[in-house]
Amino acid sequence: MMTLKVNGGDHRVEADPDTPLLYVLRDDLGLNAAKFGCGLGQCGACTVIVDGKAVLSCVTPLVLLEGKQVTTLEGLGTVAAPAPIQRAFMEEQAAQCGYCIAGMMMRAQALLLRNPKPTDAQIRAELESNLCRCGTHMRILRAVHRAARLIDTADAASDGSQR
């Protein structure tokens, strides 16, 4: 039995320490945004954020997560109050089939946490490991830039500065 910190809450999990995080998120905690894609850490559909970094949950065993904060797409925002990255992807209509989008948003969110104003090249380099066959790459690029602006605007509004 171990305690897993997910989306700001503690969850007691009874699973083998070698169990991939993705299985526990989906099967035990009912968090289904992260998808099972290749199961080999090669497609990015299962991407979540662990302590601020994008991580492939299908190849990350629970034993590596003791004391670390896991964030899934469900932990960013809600339908009623989407996070800037979620809102931007909706406004840019960046999803088609949607299978890879949760992973794309989580990797983009991790990028924006460490680089609030990424360039096109930085976004492309960051998202290169997340595969998408739908052809919305330019919309995804615009969505990440839009999310950066939304975060910047929210930050400016919260601290009262004029930008």
Side-chain angles (χ1 to χ4, degrees):
M1 179 88 62
M2 72 178 286
T3 300
L4 197 59
K5 296 176 182 287
V6 180
N7 298 335
D10 289 340
H11 301 272
R12 301 282 296 163
V13 175
E14 191 164 328
D16 186 288
D18 291 331
T19 303
L21 171 61
L22 178 65
Y23 298 168
V24 172
L25 292 174
R26 294 182 62 84
D27 299 341
D28 298 331
L29 303 183
L31 300 169
N32 295 314
K35 302 291 187 274
F36 184 91
C38 65
L40 302 169
Q42 297 177 352
C43 73
C46 67
T47 304
V48 298
I49 296 175
V50 176
D51 286 348
K53 296 180 182 173
V55 168
L56 300 168
S57 65
C58 74
V59 293
T60 302
L62 293 180
V63 69
L64 298 179
L65 300 169
E66 188 74 44
K68 297 185 177 180
Q69 178 60 53
V70 176
T71 305
T72 69
L73 187 64
E74 293 94 337
L76 295 183
T78 65
V79 172
I85 192 74
Q86 294 166 316
R87 184 174 150 200
F89 270 68
M90 288 186 290
E91 290 174 353
E92 292 294 339
Q93 299 181 7
Q96 284 201 355
C97 82
Y99 203 81
C100 69
I101 289 302
M104 292 273 193
M105 283 194 271
M106 296 310 288
R107 188 165 299 278
Q109 178 71 19
L111 171 64
L112 293 172
L113 288 172
R114 68 176 192 279
N115 180 359
K117 294 184 180 181
T119 64
D120 282 357
Q122 291 167 327
I123 296 168
R124 288 178 181 178
E126 184 71 18
L127 297 180
E128 186 175 6
S129 61
N130 285 59
L131 303 180
C132 172
R133 301 288 183 241
C134 295
T136 61
H137 297 88
M138 294 310 293
R139 292 180 187 178
I140 292 169
L141 191 62
R142 287 194 307 265
V144 177
H145 283 297
R146 182 183 285 247
R149 289 191 305 274
L150 290 170
I151 293 168
D152 187 49
T153 301
D155 288 347
S158 67
D159 71 9
S161 67
Q162 301 291 319
R163 293 188 205 182

